[in-house]
Amino acid sequence: DVADPTNPIYKGMLSIDGDYNTSRLVDGKLLLMSEYYFSIKNVDYDDPSTYVPTVTRDGEDSLLTMDEIFAPQGVNSSRYTIVASIDINSCEITGANGLLNFTNSVYVSENNVYVTRNYSETKELSGNTKISEEMTDIAVLGYTEDGLERRVITLSGTVLNQYSMDELDGYLRVVTSTSKFDYVSGGMLSAPARRISSASLYIVDLSNCTTIASVENFAPEGE
């Protein structure tokens, strides 16, 4: 407490696993984010501490619970983004989330934390034609009295960085770089992939995390 600059007062200490990413203070709550990596080769499934992050609760380190961890389909990384909500008056963690595989971009607004992950999705069309599309999941963590509420938004394309996302009046505006590959496969031969690159804008209603408007693939060819 440095309210009196001539007499700083130590209030307490707590910790979360991982390397510091970013933080934000809102109405007496500190949002603290870190990136935590675990080694696949050292995982012992009989010992959750080898792959589950820990945070300080009631003065002791404790593993995140199952409800506090989100692992999407198609996990391809052993890295978490950990988000902890801390009451700076009591110096206690009031909520925590471990987002496995969400390590691309973090954007913190006045009301929410947004953490992204990129992945590829392949779909089979008619005539042995397949299309591979770059996708983004955005985990939305809202501040609540009890801690953090988690929801997930899925959009086409990849989010370049936190400056490609902006929250305003209950809506999230997101610009993504879109990339699609289509090709024909069959037998021993596959036709060369054709890449289609562009950019898209999405407007998401945060009350239900649905896309209410979009301008898709608006970038000039080659940009």
Side-chain angles (χ1 to χ4, degrees):
D1 182 354
V2 292
D4 179 356
T6 66
N7 184 32
I9 299 172
Y10 173 81
K11 296 186 65 174
M13 180 172 64
L14 49 79
S15 69
I16 65 175
D17 274 347
D19 295 326
Y20 176 83
N21 182 310
T22 188
S23 60
R24 179 162 180 166
L25 184 65
V26 178
D27 296 331
K29 285 187 177 181
L30 176 68
L31 273 297
L32 176 62
M33 281 140 277
S34 70
E35 289 193 8
Y36 170 72
Y37 166 82
F38 65 94
S39 173
I40 292 291
K41 65 180 181 181
N42 294 330
V43 166
D44 177 358
Y45 290 107
D46 293 325
D47 181 7
S49 67
T50 62
Y51 58 92
V52 176
T54 64
V55 298
T56 301
R57 285 191 252 249
D58 298 323
E60 297 183 356
D61 288 344
S62 65
L63 297 173
L64 294 184
T65 66
M66 184 181 298
D67 290 341
E68 292 172 328
I69 294 175
F70 180 71
Q73 295 291 327
V75 170
N76 57 14
S77 169
S78 56
R79 294 174 69 90
Y80 289 86
T81 290
I82 304 173
V83 182
S85 175
I86 301 167
D87 186 322
I88 62 170
N89 294 312
S90 63
C91 205
E92 294 287 341
I93 292 178
T94 58
N97 264 250
L99 304 170
L100 182 59
N101 214 170
F102 283 76
T103 57
N104 290 108
S105 297
V106 177
Y107 162 54
V108 185
S109 73
E110 186 177 353
N111 302 304
N112 296 291
V113 179
Y114 300 90
V115 189
T116 72
R117 80 173 188 113
N118 302 333
Y119 62 98
S120 296
E121 185 174 82
T122 300
K123 300 177 182 178
E124 293 199 18
L125 307 177
S126 59
N128 292 329
T129 301
K130 295 183 179 180
I131 186 166
S132 179
E133 182 175 6
E134 295 298 311
M135 303 291 293
T136 292
D137 283 343
I138 304 175
V140 186
L141 304 179
Y143 317 155
T144 69
E145 291 298 323
D146 299 325
L148 297 167
E149 175 192 40
R150 183 182 64 232
R151 295 166 292 165
V152 178
I153 299 165
T154 300
L155 299 174
S156 175
T158 59
V159 176
L160 179 64
N161 52 37
Q162 68 267 36
Y163 303 109
S164 300
M165 297 178 281
D166 185 57
E167 179 189 315
L168 179 69
D169 298 334
Y171 298 96
L172 176 67
R173 293 92 61 87
V174 185
V175 172
T176 67
S177 299
T178 59
S179 181
K180 296 181 181 180
F181 296 84
D182 62 354
Y183 54 93
V184 177
S185 62
M188 299 292 292
L189 300 176
S190 295
R194 181 172 63 103
R195 179 173 179 171
I196 306 169
S197 300
S198 192
S200 296
L201 166 69
Y202 297 96
I203 312 296
V204 179
D205 185 341
L206 292 171
S207 67
N208 52 22
C209 283
T210 59
T211 300
I212 61 167
S214 64
V215 182
E216 298 186 74
N217 301 316
F218 62 80
E221 185 175 352
E223 291 292 325

